Amino acid sequence: MASNSTPSSNSSTASAGGGGVSAPAFSPLYQQIKGLILHSLQHGEWKPGEVIPSEMDLAARFRVSQGTVRKAIDELAAENLLMRRQGKGTFVATHAERQVQYRFLRLLPDSGDAREEGPAQRTILECKRSRASAEVARALQVRTGDPIIQARRILSFVGVPTILEDIWLPGQAFKGLTAEQMAEYQGPTYAMFELDYGVRMVRAEEKIRAVLPDEDQCALLRVSQQTPLLSVERLAYTYNDVPMELRRALYRTDTHHYHNSLS
């Protein structure tokens, strides 16, 4: 754990997240502190939704100034890994929080308000234990043939099937996940991953293209084979850039659009 670690202002060997990767020489001190805090997050010292020690306590722990700790926390907050609450302290971000839970869900209705439309209704078509194909193994950084969890579901809005998702998860990290569990959990799926499996998705990479559906996809989404769909492939990572989910989704865009804010 990071509790006994003391950073060096010009060290070339300070751990950047506990993964055994050395930081560059003369790494800024606040970046070293950021790495030590990430190490504690990664190893579960502070759980999602829990408050972390105060800046004063962390400064004493790491033997640095409060300003250095504050700068490290500012970066982690900007990356949505920590959340500041006025008068209450700094908390580990969680997908159960409204401002965090929609980070990766950007499908919005063309008319009306997403809040009026309500949350998506989920239909779990399957959730089974399988073996990783070469393609899935490469994405999740496991070996071909390793156990994985493979799930398929439909997300509907106001009774209209709108999104078809295929999801692959490392079998060891999500051992025991069932279709019933996915269907019964009312909150965001990533919040369930946090709560039940201790896996927090902290970032994702997505590839987007336009495609035409095959016969099976047409039947599930109730569209014709001439209907253009938005294909979104997402690879989601937990701390230390460890891939934890491969997701391929097809989006109907006749009543919704894929929204992204750039800054």
Side-chain angles (χ1 to χ4, degrees):
M1 303 299 292
S3 56
N4 296 321
S5 301
T6 302
S8 170
S9 60
N10 62 356
S11 171
S12 62
T13 59
S15 173
V21 179
S22 295
F26 304 107
S27 174
L29 188 55
Y30 79 92
Q31 286 285 354
Q32 295 181 50
I33 300 305
K34 178 183 176 182
L36 292 172
I37 295 173
L38 273 172
H39 181 272
S40 291
L41 292 170
Q42 178 187 355
H43 288 80
E45 181 178 350
W46 313 306
K47 302 291 191 298
E50 289 184 354
V51 66
I52 69 170
S54 68
E55 291 178 1
M56 182 180 298
D57 289 341
L58 289 173
R61 169 172 168 170
F62 298 132
R63 301 178 187 176
V64 295
S65 70
Q66 280 186 246
T68 299
V69 171
R70 184 175 301 115
K71 192 168 183 179
I73 290 177
D74 284 344
E75 283 208 356
L76 291 168
E79 294 169 9
N80 291 313
L81 300 182
L82 296 176
M83 297 180 62
R84 293 186 184 276
R85 293 179 183 166
Q86 189 67 34
K88 295 183 178 180
T90 301
F91 293 74
V92 181
T94 169
H95 286 281
E97 292 277 356
R98 178 168 294 277
Q99 58 265 53
V100 176
Q101 64 181 252
Y102 295 115
R103 282 179 63 201
F104 305 133
L105 180 58
R106 305 187 183 97
L107 196 70
L108 299 178
D110 289 338
S111 59
D113 191 294
R115 289 171 294 184
E116 296 175 2
E117 184 178 58
Q121 300 87 51
R122 304 167 187 165
T123 302
I124 310 301
L125 302 178
E126 68 174 10
C127 181
K128 62 184 182 181
R129 198 167 179 84
S130 185
R131 297 287 176 181
S133 66
E135 184 181 15
V136 171
R138 188 164 47 250
L140 295 178
Q141 295 181 12
V142 298
R143 293 175 298 183
T144 300
D146 275 0
I148 58 168
I149 301 295
Q150 184 175 346
R152 169 173 271 201
R153 68 181 184 178
I154 293 175
L155 304 183
S156 302
F157 294 94
V158 198
V160 178
T162 306
I163 306 171
L164 173 62
E165 291 185 324
D166 288 293
I167 300 170
W168 294 267
L169 304 163
Q172 189 62 34
F174 293 92
K175 190 174 182 179
L177 179 64
T178 65
E180 291 75 19
Q181 184 180 2
M182 292 186 72
E184 290 173 4
Y185 189 81
Q186 297 302 307
T189 300
Y190 286 157
M192 181 189 71
F193 290 168
E194 286 181 2
L195 179 65
D196 293 345
Y197 298 95
V199 176
R200 171 163 160 70
M201 306 300 185
V202 299
R203 74 177 188 89
E205 296 176 352
E206 294 180 330
K207 298 177 183 177
I208 304 175
R209 57 172 58 90
V211 300
L212 293 175
D214 61 26
E215 187 175 344
D216 182 45
Q217 294 162 349
C218 286
L220 292 171
L221 289 174
R222 302 179 199 167
V223 296
S224 73
Q225 287 188 291
Q226 286 72 48
T227 303
L229 300 175
L230 199 61
S231 169
V232 181
E233 179 176 299
R234 175 191 304 163
L235 191 57
Y237 298 82
T238 187
Y239 299 112
N240 214 28
D241 278 344
V242 177
M244 277 291 176
E245 179 201 52
L246 173 63
R247 183 182 302 206
R248 290 176 179 153
L250 293 177
Y251 292 72
R252 284 180 56 170
T253 57
D254 48 346
T255 59
H256 291 72
H257 61 274
Y258 194 72
H259 178 82
N260 193 9
S261 297
L262 304 177
S263 59

